[in-house]
Amino acid sequence: MNLGAVLLVFAGLSLCTFEVAECAPAPSTEGVISYPASFFAPEQPTTALDIIKLIPGFVFDRGGEVRGYVGAAPNVLVDGARLASKDDSVEDLLKRIPADQIVRVDVIRGGAPGVDMQDKTVIANLVRRKQTGLAGTLTASVMRDAQGKLEGLGRAEWRWSSAGWFVEGSAQIGGSFDDTGGVGPKIRVDGSGRLIVNGSESQFGVQDDNRITAAAEHDLGGGKIRLSASFTDQPYGAISTDTLVQPSGGDLDNYHQTEKTGELSARYERQFNPRIDLEVVGIGRLGWDGLHDHYTEEPQVAAVTGDDTSDIFDLSDRRGETILSSRLSVALNKTLALNTGVEGDYNWLTSHTTFIENGSPISLPAADEFVAEKRGEAFALAEWRPRPAVDLEAGMHLEGSQLTSTGDSSSSQAFIYPKPRALLTLSPNPTDQIRLRVEREVGQLDFNDFIASPLNIESGEVRAGNTRLTPESDWVFEAAAERRFWKSGDVTVTVRHFKLYDVIDRVPVYDPSGTFDAPGNIGGGRKDEVALDLTLPLDRIGLTGGLISGQSTWRWSRVIDPTTGVARSISGLPSDTWELHFSESLPHRHTTFGVDVVGEYSTINYRFDEIDIDKLRPNVTFFCEYKPKSDIAIRVEARDLFDRDYFHTRLVYYGPRFDSALAFIEQRDILTGRFLYLRVIKSFG
């Protein structure tokens, strides 16, 4: 167990014995806790996202990166509504809303009659101040890496409201550094420990984020309609260079990726009476992606390593998504409410892939594919609050889909899944709450798993596509205990058990052109999690304006390795994770400062002939924000203060791991270096 997790556990257990006093507003009979703007004012937040991070016991869920609208819901609403867009994320929206525009935050834990919980156990609704006229913000930021290179980003947001109209837009251009890049040693030894490769590696990457959004709202037919549009261009480029002493020479990997997305969306809301609400959402998206990876290695190095002297991988694809979704909420009486809805989606992807190894084209499984999905979902959920201390939500989602693939690999599959859900919330007193949930969850098949992609290109390894996947599903059993204390303190412990079916992991695919790693179903398994979330104000110990918050999650999993037949953890599942945050607000100096610590992050990927281990050491960031005027905020951050390490280890076998000897072990240790970040925000209106 790591130090940060130990501190969180100690603080969380200790608080169980603290005297409860000065609690935040107690839940009303509707199960809502309201935090006025004055509650957050002492911490001097700049944006709505800063406010979200200050909500006691609230963990921000950005929503799922999945197709469709229902399953991608975040746990944050703005003015009672979810953002009717997938390209423009709720996190980006919260960054654009100045903190002084928020009147209050309503937090609903467990549920409340007439409140659409978006299938979440806890949601937060930010209520904005009503205003007319023109207002907005201008943001400029710059980042400096350890080599002295600079990257900048500029953003402008504006909003105008008058006579029933609300119009807003934003534009952003610029980029930032890939913070996993840096320099460090690279070594490779054979199975007996003999040194094969010794040298150093340099990685450098830049991610651009250029986007423009526009939206307009107006009254229509007794309700309100919102139309929005967005376009995003996110190119990424990285260069990796190895300078070797043994053998003398080097290699170069040039990687470029482009991703463009355009979206149009519409949302119509109408309240027929105080008990009946209707929401209809339509979304259309188009995307264009490209990937080019070119690797070259000097011949004298390749003669020793066995790697290729030249590999070129190219991928281009186009994708589209069309969504029509509707929800109807009916409050039957003061204690019983019903939420129902239907959704229909059509998704498609077409891809073309080429791979040239040492000058010769290599045929890849699923190199050229057209994948289409027709998907529908209907749901009905009842929420019953027989007494203020008890809330029960129960219901069913019914999901059906048909997936077809044509091209190198043709297939057609149809799936129907009932997904029952029940959530019981008990609030025995104003400071304690217990939440119990049981639910069947069904994952979505990732279209990227259907097509080929690069893996370890220097050794000629690519990942094959697999068009015959079955969606992963599980039964999840969850229990959460929460205690609120003092004015803004909160500690929550959550335990989850997942019974897994059709786990998607890594499997070998045999093809006339070779054996390839690919995603595949490997059967059932289990996963367990224990999460601790803590918000600890420090006023009681004399540090006025001080706040400590943190999260820690412990994970265990078990599946059967398809190559060896031996039990192991799930590929790519993060290890135990933790983070700690300290901040102190000095209102008389218009300043807030603090330290953010993100703990070690590690994953293990099991391939049929290789095991990859990735570790990212703890990241420490110091920040200071100064507000010389109420409409100007200047923030400085010193990131990666202690040169965190990014370790990448490859254990490569001569063949399948169950009966092959270890060919070599390769280790890379990249020191990311320190980053300096400066941001200035100017608001107007």
Side-chain angles (χ1 to χ4, degrees):
M1 185 180 294
N2 47 58
L3 176 61
V6 170
L7 292 174
L8 280 171
V9 171
F10 177 77
L13 293 176
S14 299
L15 289 171
C16 295
T17 63
F18 286 178
E19 178 184 358
V20 176
E22 298 183 70
C23 292
S28 68
T29 56
E30 288 78 27
V32 179
I33 304 175
S34 292
Y35 296 94
S38 58
F39 178 87
F40 306 101
E43 300 298 329
Q44 304 183 88
T46 300
T47 68
L49 184 61
D50 297 331
I51 288 179
I52 287 294
K53 295 177 181 179
L54 293 172
I55 299 174
F58 183 78
V59 180
F60 181 31
D61 179 356
R62 295 161 177 80
E65 295 291 331
V66 297
R67 297 181 298 280
Y69 185 70
V70 172
N75 64 350
V76 174
L77 308 177
V78 178
D79 293 330
R82 177 183 163 191
L83 182 64
S85 172
K86 296 185 67 177
D87 195 28
D88 188 19
S89 70
V90 67
E91 183 172 11
D92 291 328
L93 173 64
L94 296 175
K95 290 178 181 177
R96 299 198 301 262
I97 301 176
D100 60 10
Q101 295 294 312
I102 304 302
V103 176
R104 71 175 191 277
V105 179
D106 297 329
V107 179
I108 304 98
R109 288 174 164 87
V115 177
D116 182 3
M117 294 294 293
Q118 307 283 329
D119 291 337
K120 306 295 181 182
T121 57
V122 180
I123 63 172
N125 177 38
L126 280 70
V127 181
R128 288 186 288 189
R129 173 165 53 89
K130 304 300 180 183
Q131 67 174 43
T132 59
L134 180 66
T137 57
L138 299 173
T139 303
S141 63
V142 64
M143 181 184 290
R144 180 185 184 276
D145 72 356
Q147 287 74 44
K149 300 183 182 71
L150 299 176
E151 282 291 329
L153 186 144
R155 185 170 65 242
E157 302 96 23
W158 60 273
R159 55 198 176 276
W160 175 79
S161 178
S162 179
W165 281 94
F166 180 78
V167 183
E168 62 180 347
S170 68
Q172 174 177 297
I173 186 170
S176 60
F177 293 107
D178 182 347
D179 62 4
T180 62
V183 296
K186 172 184 176 178
I187 64 169
R188 182 186 293 188
V189 298
D190 65 16
S192 63
R194 181 179 63 88
L195 184 66
I196 303 173
V197 173
N198 182 24
S200 63
E201 180 177 17
S202 172
Q203 295 181 3
F204 176 76
V206 175
Q207 174 74 67
D208 287 340
D209 189 2
N210 309 312
R211 64 180 64 202
I212 184 169
T213 68
E217 291 184 10
H218 191 56
D219 298 336
L220 178 68
K224 181 188 298 182
I225 188 168
R226 178 184 175 91
L227 304 175
S228 60
S230 65
F231 178 77
T232 302
D233 180 17
Q234 296 177 308
Y236 172 81
I239 294 178
S240 176
T241 304
D242 289 342
T243 303
L244 305 180
V245 176
Q246 178 182 339
S248 178
D251 57 47
L252 173 67
D253 186 14
N254 218 319
Y255 181 95
H256 294 279
Q257 184 173 346
T258 60
E259 182 176 352
K260 296 179 172 63
T261 306
E263 179 185 272
L264 296 173
S265 65
R267 181 183 69 213
Y268 180 71
E269 300 173 282
R270 182 177 178 183
Q271 186 177 52
F272 292 93
N273 58 52
R275 292 187 174 186
I276 302 177
D277 291 285
L278 173 68
E279 178 191 62
V280 180
V281 174
I283 300 175
R285 306 178 75 217
L286 288 174
W288 304 264
D289 300 334
L291 186 156
H292 175 77
D293 195 353
H294 187 186
Y295 174 83
T296 57
E297 186 167 86
E298 295 182 30
Q300 71 272 18
V301 176
V304 176
T305 63
D307 294 339
D308 298 326
T309 57
S310 174
D311 288 319
I312 302 175
F313 186 95
D314 283 287
L315 166 67
S316 61
D317 69 53
R318 293 181 295 116
R319 62 187 71 206
E321 181 174 26
T322 304
I323 304 169
L324 183 61
S325 179
S326 66
R327 284 178 176 262
L328 180 67
S329 300
V330 181
L332 301 176
N333 53 49
K334 293 183 178 181
T335 62
L336 183 63
L338 181 67
N339 289 309
T340 64
V342 294
E343 178 179 303
D345 311 331
Y346 176 69
N347 308 278
W348 59 270
L349 175 145
T350 180
S351 69
H352 174 67
T353 303
T354 61
F355 180 51
I356 300 174
E357 184 179 58
N358 295 325
S360 301
I362 301 296
S363 175
L364 299 176
D368 297 282
E369 292 291 333
F370 175 78
V371 184
E373 177 190 45
K374 297 177 182 177
R375 183 173 173 273
E377 184 165 348
F379 67 90
L381 297 170
E383 199 266 331
W384 180 43
R385 185 178 287 269
R387 59 185 64 184
V390 180
D391 186 277
L392 175 64
E393 179 189 283
M396 174 81 72
H397 287 248
L398 183 63
E399 173 187 326
S401 63
Q402 182 177 23
L403 275 163
T404 58
S405 175
T406 58
D408 294 340
S409 302
S410 297
S411 66
S412 179
Q413 302 180 88
F415 306 101
I416 296 179
Y417 291 102
K419 300 184 293 184
R421 166 187 169 89
L423 171 65
L424 176 64
T425 303
L426 305 174
S427 305
N429 56 59
T431 61
D432 295 308
Q433 189 174 84
I434 298 172
R435 297 184 290 272
L436 306 173
R437 176 173 70 101
V438 58
E439 182 174 2
R440 189 190 189 195
E441 302 174 325
V442 179
Q444 286 192 18
L445 295 178
D446 187 345
F447 277 5
N448 291 322
D449 288 341
F450 284 52
I451 59 179
S453 61
L455 188 57
N456 294 309
I457 193 169
E458 68 269 24
S459 55
E461 292 184 75
V462 298
R463 189 190 75 167
N466 188 347
T467 62
R468 293 176 172 82
L469 292 170
T470 297
E472 184 174 300
S473 63
D474 64 62
W475 278 96
V476 56
F477 303 88
E478 178 182 281
E482 179 180 13
R483 162 161 286 198
R484 294 182 294 279
F485 58 93
W486 301 347
K487 182 181 179 181
S488 56
D490 187 283
V491 59
T492 302
V493 178
T494 305
V495 179
R496 303 182 186 94
H497 171 70
F498 299 84
K499 186 173 178 58
L500 306 174
Y501 302 89
D502 297 317
V503 175
I504 295 178
D505 205 285
R506 318 304 306 171
V507 300
V509 171
Y510 302 98
D511 188 81
S513 59
T515 305
F516 299 91
D517 174 80
N521 297 107
I522 64 170
R526 71 168 186 262
K527 181 175 66 172
D528 298 285
E529 295 180 349
V530 177
L532 174 64
D533 302 288
L534 173 67
T535 303
L536 178 63
L538 303 178
D539 303 67
R540 288 292 191 91
I541 62 173
L543 197 60
T544 304
L547 181 69
I548 289 178
S549 63
Q551 300 89 39
S552 185
T553 302
W554 297 265
R555 298 179 180 90
W556 303 267
S557 65
R558 184 183 187 275
V559 293
I560 300 300
D561 191 303
T563 300
T564 64
V566 177
R568 61 162 171 82
S569 59
I570 298 173
S571 281
L573 184 70
S575 64
D576 304 341
T577 56
W578 62 273
E579 56 186 77
L580 279 171
H581 309 276
F582 164 78
S583 65
E584 184 173 7
S585 177
L586 305 174
H588 60 290
R589 297 186 181 275
H590 312 290
T591 300
T592 300
F593 69 92
V595 178
D596 298 323
V597 183
V598 178
E600 180 176 292
Y601 179 92
S602 64
T603 60
I604 303 177
N605 283 281
Y606 298 89
R607 314 186 194 283
F608 77 97
D609 62 348
E610 182 174 334
I611 299 176
D612 292 349
I613 304 171
D614 292 285
K615 290 185 179 181
L616 194 59
R617 293 300 192 193
N619 176 21
V620 179
T621 296
F622 172 81
F623 69 88
C624 181
E625 187 160 306
Y626 173 59
K627 296 183 178 180
K629 296 182 179 180
S630 60
D631 58 349
I632 297 178
I634 303 172
R635 184 182 181 93
V636 178
E637 295 181 6
R639 301 178 180 177
D640 292 353
L641 283 177
F642 301 106
D643 282 346
R644 63 173 170 165
D645 295 84
Y646 169 55
F647 294 100
H648 178 64
T649 302
R650 296 175 59 207
L651 286 76
V652 180
Y653 296 78
Y654 286 109
R657 288 183 285 112
F658 72 91
D659 64 352
S660 299
L662 184 65
F664 65 84
I665 300 175
E666 183 178 273
Q667 294 180 316
R668 308 182 186 197
D669 178 8
I670 300 297
L671 291 174
T672 60
R674 301 176 181 89
F675 294 86
L676 294 178
Y677 174 80
L678 171 66
R679 185 192 70 186
V680 180
I681 298 179
K682 172 69 171 70
S683 59
F684 59 91

